[in-house]
Amino acid sequence: VKSGDEVFISGIIHYLQQHGVSLACYHPVWEYLQPWLHEPEEIACYQDAASFMALELNYLISFGGDGTFLDPLRFVQHDCVPVMGINTGTLGFISSIPRKQASQAMEALLQEELILDARSLLQLRSNKPIFDDVVLALNDFTIQKRDTGSMIAIKTYLNGELLTTYRADGLVISTPTGSTAYS
């Protein structure tokens, strides 16, 4: 949560509580927002993907810019929970609902009059334990060598079949959502 957004976000939370919505919040964000919340004891918390999935939530709302939008995807990665991005950051390509339209978005959420935008995800697997629990990406994966020596060979498989072997310094694999900043 960016400093200055506390009142805005707590106002959205209060609005949803007043309309009978059962809420849950990422625990570190909940702790930070407590001084601004009207009824903080009514909010369940989650800490990781397992505790998120146990809550069986219908939607997740992300407040911030595109970078912030990508972070909670680690919780919903296997649960297919739609994520709504309210843009309180500077760039709103993925987190596309402007702050001034947040009340309209909350009303659409309450009325279940939402248009879901299905997006492709990438899954990355390795024969070495180099990843945490998060192996899915909405935008891209970047694979790069660790040292400044010669190029590396990257064997690339698509749906289990060898696509090709790239000899390069690295490789960017992107979804249609993409990451044009690095491509």
Side-chain angles (χ1 to χ4, degrees):
V1 176
K2 194 171 55 174
S3 180
D5 288 339
E6 301 91 354
V7 172
F8 171 71
I9 295 170
S10 65
I12 297 286
I13 291 170
H14 182 67
Y15 175 82
L16 292 172
Q17 285 175 320
Q18 295 294 34
H19 285 83
V21 176
S22 297
L23 300 175
C25 188
Y26 182 48
H27 191 264
V29 173
W30 177 78
E31 284 184 330
Y32 178 79
L33 286 176
Q34 273 197 337
W36 291 275
L37 296 175
H38 297 272
E39 300 171 38
E41 66 282 347
E42 293 184 24
I43 298 176
C45 287
Y46 58 92
Q47 194 75 10
D48 52 26
S51 60
F52 178 87
M53 289 190 304
L55 292 170
E56 298 181 1
L57 302 174
N58 296 325
Y59 301 99
L60 188 144
I61 302 172
S62 171
F63 295 94
D66 288 351
T68 304
F69 184 90
L70 295 171
D71 192 45
L73 296 180
R74 64 193 160 118
F75 302 120
V76 302
Q77 62 179 318
H78 300 295
D79 214 16
C80 296
V81 175
V83 181
M84 175 187 286
I86 307 293
N87 184 11
T88 60
T90 53
L91 181 63
F93 175 67
I94 304 170
S95 185
S96 60
I97 299 170
R99 183 185 198 117
K100 63 185 173 205
Q101 292 178 1
S103 60
Q104 293 168 310
M106 293 306 107
E107 187 61 34
L109 180 72
L110 291 172
Q111 300 300 317
E112 294 191 36
E113 295 176 350
L114 302 171
I115 297 171
L116 298 179
D117 184 12
R119 300 206 178 213
S120 299
L121 294 174
L122 292 172
Q123 181 179 18
L124 188 62
R125 285 183 280 196
S126 173
N127 58 353
K128 296 182 179 179
I130 57 174
F131 301 107
D132 293 331
D133 295 349
V134 183
V135 294
L136 297 177
L138 175 65
N139 55 356
D140 64 27
F141 279 111
T142 303
I143 301 167
Q144 57 194 72
K145 62 185 181 176
R146 292 184 185 195
D147 58 27
T148 59
S150 60
M151 293 187 287
I152 55 175
I154 304 169
K155 289 183 181 179
T156 309
Y157 293 83
L158 182 60
N159 296 326
E161 293 185 33
L162 181 65
L163 176 66
T164 192
T165 300
Y166 293 101
R167 295 196 60 73
D169 293 328
L171 183 65
V172 176
I173 303 155
S174 177
T175 66
T177 299
S179 179
T180 56
Y182 299 111
S183 297

